[in-house]
Structures are given as structure tokens and as C-alpha cells.
Amino acid sequence: MESRMNQALVENDQQSPGKGRCPEIPATMVHIATEPLPVKDHFLWSMFNFVYCNFCCLGFMALAFSVKARDRKMLGDIYSANHYGATSKALNLAATLLTIALVITVVALAISGVIHLRPR
């Protein structure tokens, strides 16, 4: 009895395809690529430090790491580019702060009279 019912259902399905079934819709897959965060190489800051604030060659070293970061970014190596960019930032910060401290110290010593800037 049960086999006759199954056979009748199969025959109904074969006679009316699509009736009672969901039509097959082709699936569309959309791949949205997320862009990685931009890599900061601090190139302009390094150029400024190299020209004006090159305390103990820190500006030159920062410029070298900035160029390395830019090269790695162009090659698509985001991890290394971030690493070199962070090193460049630290060197730039050290060069800027040490140069500012040196200028403030010289000005303070000149004002206090310890250093004579003009000959007597």
C-alpha cells in the first residue's frame, strides 16, 4: 500500500515539474574585498628631520626606514611596511624631541649668561 502511494507521488512529480517545488535560482556570490588600512611611512617628517633636525643622524636613519616602508608598501608586504613605518615614526619622534631639547637648552644657557654668543 505504501509503495503505491510513493509511486503515485513520483508519477505526479514527473508529470508536473516545478509544481510544488521551489524553482532553482542560480546563486550569485559577491566577494567584497576590504582594503587594508593605509600604511604611514612618515616620509615628509623624515625629510624635514634629515634636513633640519639631524640630531646624531637620527633624521637620516628615519629617512632610510621611511623609504623601506614605502618600498614594502609598493610590494604589497603590509606587515613589514607597518613595522618599518613604526620604526621611522619612533626615530622621527626622537630626532624632533632631542633637537627641540637641544635648542631650548642652548637658549636657556645663553639667556642665563653661561654661554656668550657675541664676543666681548
Side-chain angles (χ1 to χ4, degrees), residues 66-93:
S66 293
V67 171
K68 282 184 177 184
R70 187 167 281 191
D71 288 344
R72 292 296 175 178
K73 181 171 64 172
M74 292 300 157
L75 291 175
D77 187 4
I78 302 300
Y79 177 76
S80 294
N82 279 329
H83 176 72
Y84 286 132
T87 304
S88 172
K89 180 181 178 182
L91 290 171
N92 279 323
L93 188 62

Side-chain angles (χ1 to χ4, degrees), residues 45-105:
W45 191 11
S46 297
M47 284 298 295
F48 175 80
N49 281 337
F50 177 65
V51 174
Y52 296 109
C53 305
N54 201 9
F55 186 81
C56 293
C57 294
L58 289 176
F60 175 72
M61 290 172 42
L63 181 64
F65 277 98
S66 293
V67 171
K68 282 184 177 184
R70 187 167 281 191
D71 288 344
R72 292 296 175 178
K73 181 171 64 172
M74 292 300 157
L75 291 175
D77 187 4
I78 302 300
Y79 177 76
S80 294
N82 279 329
H83 176 72
Y84 286 132
T87 304
S88 172
K89 180 181 178 182
L91 290 171
N92 279 323
L93 188 62
T96 303
L97 292 177
L98 288 172
T99 302
I100 289 172
L102 180 70
V103 168
I104 289 173
T105 304

